[in-house]
Amino acid sequence: MAETDTVLYEARDAVAVLTLNRPDKLNAFNDDLHRELRRALDKATDDTAIGAILLTGAGRGFCAGQDLSARDPNTLTSAVDLGATLEKNYNPLVQTLRSLDKPVVCAVNGVAAGAGVSVALACDIVLAAMSARFLLPFCKIGLVPDAGSTWIIPRLIGEARAKGLALTGEPLGAEEAASWGLIWRAVEDADLMDAAFAMAERLSKGPTSALAMTKQAIQQSSDHDFAQQLALERDMQRKAGLSGDYAEGVRAFLEKRPADFRRSKKDA
Ligand code: LHQ
């Protein structure tokens, strides 16, 4: 395992496992963590042997959002521009996760709070341990939800539930999060990493380009009318239909065997 300080990077088969690694702070973000996560995501993106990314946290938490210990008003000599922090770090991070052309699985191993929720929900498939909770505690510190959470959360669970979470800061358990449609699935704590890795491994063996277009099509749908979405699907399908993965998929179906998309990539 190649170890950096605040993010661990491990290539396991075709899956890059990225672990936020500030467990004493429940993996709260500081500048180092942002920088190393950016670097790790770039590395996984550039490595053609990697087909999927799995993001998780070390210790008992997934991510407690922004590290507030460096923001103590008693010791700060001048106000910090939080908009600039978002612009520099969080906004590019969630944009990267959503635009990445490899699937990103998130294993929420414990509490996700504040921007930690945004980071988890910017991933494509989110699994959470039964004991994990999601909270938007911004209202407790006089801030507004950020890093895309006011965009994505109402789209996933509707305005009533989004407002309930954001205006109260109350924790939402993993099972309820799954039943509300905030995440894909809640699994037993002991099974989380195996289940998340199995999901990432499965996706890593999939038709990468088709999966990337599928993710984009679904993400763009809420900004499109029906006709625009039909046009987008047509264009994407045109491209997919010319791919080696499609040829392999159809061949495998006709030969009554599982498709081997790694083979079609080698042939490409
Ligand atoms: C922490 C943190 C933390 C430092 C736990 N920082 N140490 C973006 C852009 C710019 C600026 C502002 O914000 C944003 C977005 C944001 O994310 S703002 C929201 C920031 N996050 C929070 O407000 C969450 C603060 N944390 C909590 O409310 C609790 O820690 C939760 C509910 C997450 C977990 O509670 P517990 O399970 O009871 O754990 P704990 O509170 O005992 O925390 C364990 C340790 O982690 C503790 O340190 P200690 O030395 O006492 O053991 C905490 O101080 C530390 N920690 N979150 N965000």
Side-chain angles (χ1 to χ4, degrees):
M1 182 185 292
E3 190 165 326
T4 58
D5 193 13
T6 58
V7 175
L8 307 179
Y9 185 106
E10 182 190 7
R12 273 170 71 189
D13 301 325
V15 177
V17 183
L18 276 51
T19 307
L20 308 178
N21 188 36
R22 302 185 71 224
D24 295 348
K25 302 271 184 192
L26 300 180
N27 304 313
F29 274 97
N30 62 5
D31 284 349
D32 287 346
L33 179 48
H34 275 293
R35 191 175 49 252
E36 291 184 15
L37 184 55
R38 265 196 302 274
R39 207 176 287 154
L41 287 169
D42 285 348
K43 182 173 167 179
T45 304
D46 294 345
D47 186 344
T48 53
I50 294 297
I53 294 167
L54 170 55
L55 180 66
T56 191
R60 71 175 177 88
F62 170 67
C63 175
Q66 172 68 31
D67 187 330
L68 297 174
S69 48
R71 302 275 163 110
D72 181 352
N74 291 326
T75 55
L76 282 178
T77 49
S78 60
V80 177
D81 177 355
L82 302 188
T85 310
L86 288 167
E87 199 63 38
K88 177 176 172 231
N89 288 324
Y90 291 96
N91 293 357
L93 171 59
V94 292
Q95 292 269 24
T96 297
L97 290 166
R98 282 176 68 83
S99 62
L100 231 147
D101 61 6
K102 297 174 184 181
V104 187
V105 175
C106 186
V108 181
N109 52 300
V111 67
V117 175
S118 300
V119 171
L121 299 182
C123 299
D124 302 310
I125 302 256
V126 184
L127 289 97
M130 292 285 190
S131 66
R133 342 167 241 149
F134 297 81
L135 30 350
L136 302 174
F138 300 90
C139 54
K140 301 191 172 167
I141 54 172
L143 293 181
V144 295
D146 58 15
S149 55
T150 62
W151 188 88
I152 200 159
I153 294 176
R155 280 172 167 76
L156 291 171
I157 61 175
E159 199 173 301
R161 286 169 165 169
K163 282 183 181 164
L165 290 179
L167 297 179
T168 67
E170 277 181 21
L172 179 70
E175 276 181 286
E176 203 161 17
S179 74
W180 283 11
L182 188 72
I183 63 169
W184 169 241
R185 211 157 263 176
V187 296
E188 294 295 341
D189 287 21
D191 298 333
L192 176 70
M193 289 318 294
D194 284 349
F197 185 78
M199 172 63 79
E201 190 179 38
R202 167 180 170 178
L203 295 173
S204 76
K205 292 178 180 161
T208 309
S209 166
L211 295 182
M213 286 193 284
T214 302
K215 155 178 174 171
Q216 290 309 326
I218 290 170
Q219 288 175 185
Q220 287 175 39
S221 67
S222 58
D223 300 324
H224 282 170
D225 63 25
F226 190 50
Q228 287 170 318
Q229 195 66 12
L230 287 175
L232 179 73
E233 290 173 355
R234 176 203 60 214
D235 294 344
M236 288 180 166
Q237 202 68 298
R238 184 171 283 143
K239 191 171 167 198
L242 298 173
S243 71
D245 284 344
Y246 171 61
E248 165 59 11
V250 174
R251 214 179 288 125
F253 173 76
L254 296 175
E255 294 168 8
K256 300 190 186 300
R257 61 171 176 81
D260 180 358
F261 294 113
R262 279 182 295 194
R263 187 166 71 181
S264 56
K265 275 179 199 64
K266 260 180 249 141
D267 296 345

